[in-house]
PDB file of all heavy atoms in Angstrom:
ATOM      1  N   ASP A 130      -5.249  -2.090  -3.051  1.00  0.00           N
ATOM      2  CA  ASP A 130      -4.082  -2.783  -2.466  1.00  0.00           C
ATOM      3  C   ASP A 130      -4.079  -4.246  -2.860  1.00  0.00           C
ATOM      4  O   ASP A 130      -5.119  -4.823  -3.204  1.00  0.00           O
ATOM      5  CB  ASP A 130      -4.154  -2.706  -0.925  1.00  0.00           C
ATOM      6  CG  ASP A 130      -3.936  -1.291  -0.405  1.00  0.00           C
ATOM      7  OD1 ASP A 130      -3.478  -0.432  -1.178  1.00  0.00           O
ATOM      8  OD2 ASP A 130      -4.281  -1.060   0.762  1.00  0.00           O
ATOM      9  N   MET A 131      -2.889  -4.851  -2.822  1.00  0.00           N
ATOM     10  CA  MET A 131      -2.793  -6.301  -3.098  1.00  0.00           C
ATOM     11  C   MET A 131      -2.496  -7.014  -1.786  1.00  0.00           C
ATOM     12  O   MET A 131      -1.536  -6.691  -1.099  1.00  0.00           O
ATOM     13  CB  MET A 131      -1.701  -6.559  -4.106  1.00  0.00           C
ATOM     14  CG  MET A 131      -1.642  -7.992  -4.591  1.00  0.00           C
ATOM     15  SD  MET A 131      -3.153  -8.543  -5.405  1.00  0.00           S
ATOM     16  CE  MET A 131      -2.974  -7.870  -7.056  1.00  0.00           C
ATOM     17  N   CYS A 157      -2.198  -2.465  -7.003  1.00  0.00           N
ATOM     18  CA  CYS A 157      -0.835  -2.727  -6.565  1.00  0.00           C
ATOM     19  C   CYS A 157      -0.407  -4.104  -7.049  1.00  0.00           C
ATOM     20  O   CYS A 157      -1.218  -5.048  -7.037  1.00  0.00           O
ATOM     21  CB  CYS A 157      -0.863  -2.701  -5.030  1.00  0.00           C
ATOM     22  SG  CYS A 157       0.735  -2.830  -4.303  1.00  0.00           S
ATOM     23  N   GLN A 159       2.911  -7.020  -6.735  1.00  0.00           N
ATOM     24  CA  GLN A 159       4.042  -7.359  -5.837  1.00  0.00           C
ATOM     25  C   GLN A 159       5.176  -8.025  -6.600  1.00  0.00           C
ATOM     26  O   GLN A 159       5.014  -9.108  -7.179  1.00  0.00           O
ATOM     27  CB  GLN A 159       3.528  -8.280  -4.740  1.00  0.00           C
ATOM     28  CG  GLN A 159       2.412  -7.681  -3.903  1.00  0.00           C
ATOM     29  CD  GLN A 159       1.483  -8.718  -3.296  1.00  0.00           C
ATOM     30  OE1 GLN A 159       1.169  -9.741  -3.932  1.00  0.00           O
ATOM     31  NE2 GLN A 159       1.015  -8.456  -2.088  1.00  0.00           N
ATOM     32  N   ARG A 180       0.722   0.184  -9.319  1.00  0.00           N
ATOM     33  CA  ARG A 180       1.692   0.575  -8.297  1.00  0.00           C
ATOM     34  C   ARG A 180       2.540  -0.663  -7.982  1.00  0.00           C
ATOM     35  O   ARG A 180       2.020  -1.679  -7.527  1.00  0.00           O
ATOM     36  CB  ARG A 180       0.997   1.052  -7.045  1.00  0.00           C
ATOM     37  CG  ARG A 180       2.003   1.373  -5.927  1.00  0.00           C
ATOM     38  CD  ARG A 180       1.372   1.271  -4.570  1.00  0.00           C
ATOM     39  NE  ARG A 180       0.499   2.403  -4.305  1.00  0.00           N
ATOM     40  CZ  ARG A 180      -0.609   2.294  -3.578  1.00  0.00           C
ATOM     41  NH1 ARG A 180      -1.022   1.126  -3.119  1.00  0.00           N
ATOM     42  NH2 ARG A 180      -1.353   3.351  -3.350  1.00  0.00           N
ATOM     43  N   VAL A 182       5.150  -2.681  -5.854  1.00  0.00           N
ATOM     44  CA  VAL A 182       5.807  -2.760  -4.528  1.00  0.00           C
ATOM     45  C   VAL A 182       6.563  -4.079  -4.463  1.00  0.00           C
ATOM     46  O   VAL A 182       6.410  -4.944  -5.340  1.00  0.00           O
ATOM     47  CB  VAL A 182       4.781  -2.698  -3.366  1.00  0.00           C
ATOM     48  CG1 VAL A 182       3.975  -1.410  -3.408  1.00  0.00           C
ATOM     49  CG2 VAL A 182       3.858  -3.924  -3.356  1.00  0.00           C
ATOM     50  N   LYS A 183       7.351  -4.271  -3.383  1.00  0.00           N
ATOM     51  CA  LYS A 183       8.071  -5.535  -3.257  1.00  0.00           C
ATOM     52  C   LYS A 183       7.135  -6.649  -2.785  1.00  0.00           C
ATOM     53  O   LYS A 183       7.255  -7.787  -3.217  1.00  0.00           O
ATOM     54  CB  LYS A 183       9.221  -5.359  -2.273  1.00  0.00           C
ATOM     55  CG  LYS A 183      10.345  -4.524  -2.826  1.00  0.00           C
ATOM     56  CD  LYS A 183      11.574  -4.614  -1.944  1.00  0.00           C
ATOM     57  CE  LYS A 183      12.649  -3.641  -2.413  1.00  0.00           C
ATOM     58  NZ  LYS A 183      13.836  -3.656  -1.541  1.00  0.00           N
ATOM     59  N   GLY A 184       6.205  -6.350  -1.875  1.00  0.00           N
ATOM     60  CA  GLY A 184       5.316  -7.382  -1.323  1.00  0.00           C
ATOM     61  C   GLY A 184       5.589  -7.549   0.159  1.00  0.00           C
ATOM     62  O   GLY A 184       6.731  -7.645   0.582  1.00  0.00           O
ATOM     63  N   ALA A 185       4.504  -7.592   0.950  1.00  0.00           N
ATOM     64  CA  ALA A 185       4.649  -7.533   2.407  1.00  0.00           C
ATOM     65  C   ALA A 185       4.167  -8.754   3.163  1.00  0.00           C
ATOM     66  O   ALA A 185       4.202  -8.762   4.389  1.00  0.00           O
ATOM     67  CB  ALA A 185       3.859  -6.291   2.906  1.00  0.00           C
ATOM     68  N   TYR A 186       3.731  -9.794   2.475  1.00  0.00           N
ATOM     69  CA  TYR A 186       3.105 -10.922   3.203  1.00  0.00           C
ATOM     70  C   TYR A 186       4.014 -12.153   3.208  1.00  0.00           C
ATOM     71  O   TYR A 186       5.050 -12.185   2.536  1.00  0.00           O
ATOM     72  CB  TYR A 186       1.759 -11.281   2.548  1.00  0.00           C
ATOM     73  CG  TYR A 186       0.761 -10.159   2.648  1.00  0.00           C
ATOM     74  CD1 TYR A 186       0.706  -9.158   1.653  1.00  0.00           C
ATOM     75  CD2 TYR A 186      -0.113 -10.051   3.722  1.00  0.00           C
ATOM     76  CE1 TYR A 186      -0.170  -8.100   1.758  1.00  0.00           C
ATOM     77  CE2 TYR A 186      -1.014  -9.004   3.800  1.00  0.00           C
ATOM     78  CZ  TYR A 186      -1.048  -8.041   2.825  1.00  0.00           C
ATOM     79  OH  TYR A 186      -1.936  -6.992   2.938  1.00  0.00           O
ATOM     80  N   LYS A 197      16.200 -11.156  -0.752  1.00  0.00           N
ATOM     81  CA  LYS A 197      16.050  -9.706  -1.076  1.00  0.00           C
ATOM     82  C   LYS A 197      16.609  -9.399  -2.469  1.00  0.00           C
ATOM     83  O   LYS A 197      16.032  -8.635  -3.233  1.00  0.00           O
ATOM     84  CB  LYS A 197      16.733  -8.848  -0.012  1.00  0.00           C
ATOM     85  CG  LYS A 197      16.740  -7.362  -0.381  1.00  0.00           C
ATOM     86  CD  LYS A 197      17.201  -6.482   0.765  1.00  0.00           C
ATOM     87  CE  LYS A 197      17.647  -5.095   0.315  1.00  0.00           C
ATOM     88  NZ  LYS A 197      16.692  -4.285  -0.430  1.00  0.00           N
ATOM     89  N   THR A 227       8.271   2.245  -3.118  1.00  0.00           N
ATOM     90  CA  THR A 227       9.444   1.687  -2.438  1.00  0.00           C
ATOM     91  C   THR A 227      10.189   2.797  -1.725  1.00  0.00           C
ATOM     92  O   THR A 227      10.079   3.969  -2.081  1.00  0.00           O
ATOM     93  CB  THR A 227      10.411   0.971  -3.436  1.00  0.00           C
ATOM     94  OG1 THR A 227      11.500   0.454  -2.703  1.00  0.00           O
ATOM     95  CG2 THR A 227      10.931   1.910  -4.503  1.00  0.00           C
ATOM     96  N   HIS A 228      10.946   2.374  -0.651  1.00  0.00           N
ATOM     97  CA  HIS A 228      11.806   3.329   0.059  1.00  0.00           C
ATOM     98  C   HIS A 228      13.261   2.965  -0.184  1.00  0.00           C
ATOM     99  O   HIS A 228      14.141   3.518   0.483  1.00  0.00           O
ATOM    100  CB  HIS A 228      11.553   3.281   1.548  1.00  0.00           C
ATOM    101  CG  HIS A 228      10.108   3.212   1.913  1.00  0.00           C
ATOM    102  ND1 HIS A 228       9.424   2.042   2.023  1.00  0.00           N
ATOM    103  CD2 HIS A 228       9.235   4.201   2.134  1.00  0.00           C
ATOM    104  CE1 HIS A 228       8.166   2.307   2.322  1.00  0.00           C
ATOM    105  NE2 HIS A 228       8.019   3.604   2.375  1.00  0.00           N
ATOM    106  N   ASP A 229      13.514   2.027  -1.048  1.00  0.00           N
ATOM    107  CA  ASP A 229      14.845   1.451  -1.171  1.00  0.00           C
ATOM    108  C   ASP A 229      15.739   2.370  -1.997  1.00  0.00           C
ATOM    109  O   ASP A 229      15.551   2.510  -3.228  1.00  0.00           O
ATOM    110  CB  ASP A 229      14.688   0.075  -1.879  1.00  0.00           C
ATOM    111  CG  ASP A 229      15.921  -0.777  -1.744  1.00  0.00           C
ATOM    112  OD1 ASP A 229      16.983  -0.210  -1.502  1.00  0.00           O
ATOM    113  OD2 ASP A 229      15.792  -1.996  -1.873  1.00  0.00           O
ATOM    114  N   HIS A 253       5.410   6.447  -4.555  1.00  0.00           N
ATOM    115  CA  HIS A 253       4.573   6.403  -3.349  1.00  0.00           C
ATOM    116  C   HIS A 253       5.405   5.814  -2.218  1.00  0.00           C
ATOM    117  O   HIS A 253       6.041   4.781  -2.378  1.00  0.00           O
ATOM    118  CB  HIS A 253       3.357   5.505  -3.554  1.00  0.00           C
ATOM    119  CG  HIS A 253       2.310   6.111  -4.462  1.00  0.00           C
ATOM    120  ND1 HIS A 253       1.154   5.442  -4.803  1.00  0.00           N
ATOM    121  CD2 HIS A 253       2.236   7.338  -5.062  1.00  0.00           C
ATOM    122  CE1 HIS A 253       0.420   6.225  -5.589  1.00  0.00           C
ATOM    123  NE2 HIS A 253       1.057   7.361  -5.767  1.00  0.00           N
ATOM    124  N   LEU A 255       5.598   5.335   2.354  1.00  0.00           N
ATOM    125  CA  LEU A 255       4.734   5.236   3.532  1.00  0.00           C
ATOM    126  C   LEU A 255       5.026   6.388   4.498  1.00  0.00           C
ATOM    127  O   LEU A 255       6.184   6.817   4.640  1.00  0.00           O
ATOM    128  CB  LEU A 255       4.951   3.911   4.247  1.00  0.00           C
ATOM    129  CG  LEU A 255       4.626   2.649   3.449  1.00  0.00           C
ATOM    130  CD1 LEU A 255       4.954   1.391   4.253  1.00  0.00           C
ATOM    131  CD2 LEU A 255       3.181   2.607   3.007  1.00  0.00           C
ATOM    132  N   ILE A 258       8.383   7.038   6.852  1.00  0.00           N
ATOM    133  CA  ILE A 258       9.541   6.305   6.397  1.00  0.00           C
ATOM    134  C   ILE A 258      10.272   7.117   5.311  1.00  0.00           C
ATOM    135  O   ILE A 258       9.655   7.555   4.360  1.00  0.00           O
ATOM    136  CB  ILE A 258       9.152   4.898   5.846  1.00  0.00           C
ATOM    137  CG1 ILE A 258       8.430   4.111   6.927  1.00  0.00           C
ATOM    138  CG2 ILE A 258      10.397   4.141   5.355  1.00  0.00           C
ATOM    139  CD1 ILE A 258       8.009   2.727   6.522  1.00  0.00           C
ATOM    140  N   GLN A 259      11.584   7.311   5.520  1.00  0.00           N
ATOM    141  CA  GLN A 259      12.423   8.043   4.551  1.00  0.00           C
ATOM    142  C   GLN A 259      11.845   9.431   4.247  1.00  0.00           C
ATOM    143  O   GLN A 259      11.706   9.811   3.085  1.00  0.00           O
ATOM    144  CB  GLN A 259      12.566   7.250   3.235  1.00  0.00           C
ATOM    145  CG  GLN A 259      13.102   5.866   3.373  1.00  0.00           C
ATOM    146  CD  GLN A 259      14.602   5.815   3.429  1.00  0.00           C
ATOM    147  OE1 GLN A 259      15.222   6.639   4.089  1.00  0.00           O
ATOM    148  NE2 GLN A 259      15.219   4.843   2.761  1.00  0.00           N
ATOM    149  N   ARG A 290       4.971  -3.780   8.966  1.00  0.00           N
ATOM    150  CA  ARG A 290       6.009  -2.706   8.897  1.00  0.00           C
ATOM    151  C   ARG A 290       7.236  -3.139   9.676  1.00  0.00           C
ATOM    152  O   ARG A 290       8.349  -2.901   9.262  1.00  0.00           O
ATOM    153  CB  ARG A 290       5.479  -1.374   9.462  1.00  0.00           C
ATOM    154  CG  ARG A 290       4.256  -0.770   8.766  1.00  0.00           C
ATOM    155  CD  ARG A 290       4.542  -0.263   7.364  1.00  0.00           C
ATOM    156  NE  ARG A 290       4.611  -1.257   6.318  1.00  0.00           N
ATOM    157  CZ  ARG A 290       3.559  -1.837   5.735  1.00  0.00           C
ATOM    158  NH1 ARG A 290       2.349  -1.525   6.086  1.00  0.00           N
ATOM    159  NH2 ARG A 290       3.724  -2.722   4.767  1.00  0.00           N
ATOM    160  N   GLU A 293       9.411  -5.527   7.856  1.00  0.00           N
ATOM    161  CA  GLU A 293      10.250  -4.906   6.836  1.00  0.00           C
ATOM    162  C   GLU A 293      11.554  -4.398   7.426  1.00  0.00           C
ATOM    163  O   GLU A 293      12.559  -4.236   6.749  1.00  0.00           O
ATOM    164  CB  GLU A 293       9.515  -3.716   6.197  1.00  0.00           C
ATOM    165  CG  GLU A 293       8.403  -4.153   5.266  1.00  0.00           C
ATOM    166  CD  GLU A 293       7.303  -3.124   5.137  1.00  0.00           C
ATOM    167  OE1 GLU A 293       7.465  -1.991   5.659  1.00  0.00           O
ATOM    168  OE2 GLU A 293       6.277  -3.444   4.565  1.00  0.00           O
ATOM    169  N   ARG A 294      11.550  -4.074   8.726  1.00  0.00           N
ATOM    170  CA  ARG A 294      12.724  -3.504   9.347  1.00  0.00           C
ATOM    171  C   ARG A 294      12.721  -3.861  10.829  1.00  0.00           C
ATOM    172  O   ARG A 294      12.267  -3.070  11.672  1.00  0.00           O
ATOM    173  CB  ARG A 294      12.698  -1.981   9.191  1.00  0.00           C
ATOM    174  CG  ARG A 294      14.018  -1.359   9.580  1.00  0.00           C
ATOM    175  CD  ARG A 294      14.140   0.004   8.943  1.00  0.00           C
ATOM    176  NE  ARG A 294      15.251   0.729   9.486  1.00  0.00           N
ATOM    177  CZ  ARG A 294      16.490   0.574   9.078  1.00  0.00           C
ATOM    178  NH1 ARG A 294      16.785  -0.287   8.148  1.00  0.00           N
ATOM    179  NH2 ARG A 294      17.466   1.294   9.624  1.00  0.00           N
TER     180      ARG A 294
HETATM  181  P1  LIG B   1      12.957  -2.690   1.691  1.00  0.00           P
HETATM  182  O1  LIG B   1      12.051  -3.395   2.621  1.00  0.00           O
HETATM  183  O2  LIG B   1      14.085  -3.448   1.055  1.00  0.00           O
HETATM  184  O3  LIG B   1      13.531  -1.424   2.441  1.00  0.00           O
HETATM  185  C1  LIG B   1      14.493  -0.552   1.852  1.00  0.00           C
HETATM  186  C2  LIG B   1      14.872   0.507   2.880  1.00  0.00           C
HETATM  187  O4  LIG B   1      13.721   1.331   3.145  1.00  0.00           O
HETATM  188  C3  LIG B   1      15.260  -0.060   4.233  1.00  0.00           C
HETATM  189  O5  LIG B   1      16.624  -0.377   4.254  1.00  0.00           O
HETATM  190  C4  LIG B   1      14.897   1.093   5.145  1.00  0.00           C
HETATM  191  O6  LIG B   1      15.901   2.095   5.065  1.00  0.00           O
HETATM  192  C5  LIG B   1      13.648   1.617   4.518  1.00  0.00           C
HETATM  193  N1  LIG B   1      12.435   0.970   5.094  1.00  0.00           N
HETATM  194  C6  LIG B   1      11.614   0.111   4.453  1.00  0.00           C
HETATM  195  N2  LIG B   1      10.604  -0.268   5.246  1.00  0.00           N
HETATM  196  C7  LIG B   1      10.798   0.352   6.441  1.00  0.00           C
HETATM  197  C8  LIG B   1      10.092   0.349   7.671  1.00  0.00           C
HETATM  198  N3  LIG B   1       8.966  -0.344   7.854  1.00  0.00           N
HETATM  199  N4  LIG B   1      10.579   1.097   8.693  1.00  0.00           N
HETATM  200  C9  LIG B   1      11.714   1.849   8.533  1.00  0.00           C
HETATM  201  N5  LIG B   1      12.425   1.877   7.382  1.00  0.00           N
HETATM  202  C10 LIG B   1      11.974   1.150   6.339  1.00  0.00           C
HETATM  203  N6  LIG B   1       2.692  -4.387   0.061  1.00  0.00           N
HETATM  204  C11 LIG B   1       1.781  -5.313  -0.328  1.00  0.00           C
HETATM  205  O7  LIG B   1       2.031  -6.499  -0.255  1.00  0.00           O
HETATM  206  N7  LIG B   1       0.550  -4.894  -0.818  1.00  0.00           N
HETATM  207  C12 LIG B   1       0.245  -3.582  -0.940  1.00  0.00           C
HETATM  208  O8  LIG B   1      -0.845  -3.237  -1.406  1.00  0.00           O
HETATM  209  C13 LIG B   1       1.208  -2.612  -0.548  1.00  0.00           C
HETATM  210  N8  LIG B   1       0.936  -1.279  -0.661  1.00  0.00           N
HETATM  211  C14 LIG B   1       1.960  -0.379  -0.454  1.00  0.00           C
HETATM  212  C15 LIG B   1       1.771   0.963  -0.764  1.00  0.00           C
HETATM  213  C16 LIG B   1       2.817   1.858  -0.634  1.00  0.00           C
HETATM  214  C17 LIG B   1       2.595   3.296  -0.984  1.00  0.00           C
HETATM  215  C18 LIG B   1       4.102   1.404  -0.195  1.00  0.00           C
HETATM  216  C19 LIG B   1       5.258   2.340  -0.074  1.00  0.00           C
HETATM  217  C20 LIG B   1       4.290   0.101   0.159  1.00  0.00           C
HETATM  218  C21 LIG B   1       3.218  -0.811   0.039  1.00  0.00           C
HETATM  219  N9  LIG B   1       3.390  -2.146   0.373  1.00  0.00           N
HETATM  220  C22 LIG B   1       2.452  -3.054  -0.022  1.00  0.00           C
HETATM  221  C23 LIG B   1       4.567  -2.578   1.167  1.00  0.00           C
HETATM  222  C24 LIG B   1       5.687  -3.104   0.305  1.00  0.00           C
HETATM  223  O9  LIG B   1       5.371  -4.374  -0.228  1.00  0.00           O
HETATM  224  C25 LIG B   1       6.988  -3.286   1.124  1.00  0.00           C
HETATM  225  O10 LIG B   1       6.777  -4.219   2.151  1.00  0.00           O
HETATM  226  C26 LIG B   1       7.491  -2.002   1.767  1.00  0.00           C
HETATM  227  O11 LIG B   1       7.340  -0.915   0.889  1.00  0.00           O
HETATM  228  C27 LIG B   1       8.977  -2.134   2.159  1.00  0.00           C
HETATM  229  O12 LIG B   1       9.748  -2.408   1.040  1.00  0.00           O
HETATM  230  P2  LIG B   1      10.747  -1.379   0.331  1.00  0.00           P
HETATM  231  O13 LIG B   1      10.470  -1.377  -1.117  1.00  0.00           O
HETATM  232  O14 LIG B   1      10.688  -0.056   0.975  1.00  0.00           O
HETATM  233  O15 LIG B   1      12.175  -2.031   0.477  1.00  0.00           O
END
Side-chain angles (χ1 to χ4, degrees):
D130 292 344
M131 188 60 81
C157 186
Q159 299 153 323
R180 177 205 285 146
V182 301
K183 289 191 186 177
Y186 297 87
K197 175 171 161 57
T227 181
H228 317 88
D229 195 337
H253 286 178
L255 299 177
I258 302 181
Q259 305 276 42
R290 299 292 79 79
E293 287 153 8
R294 190 160 169 83

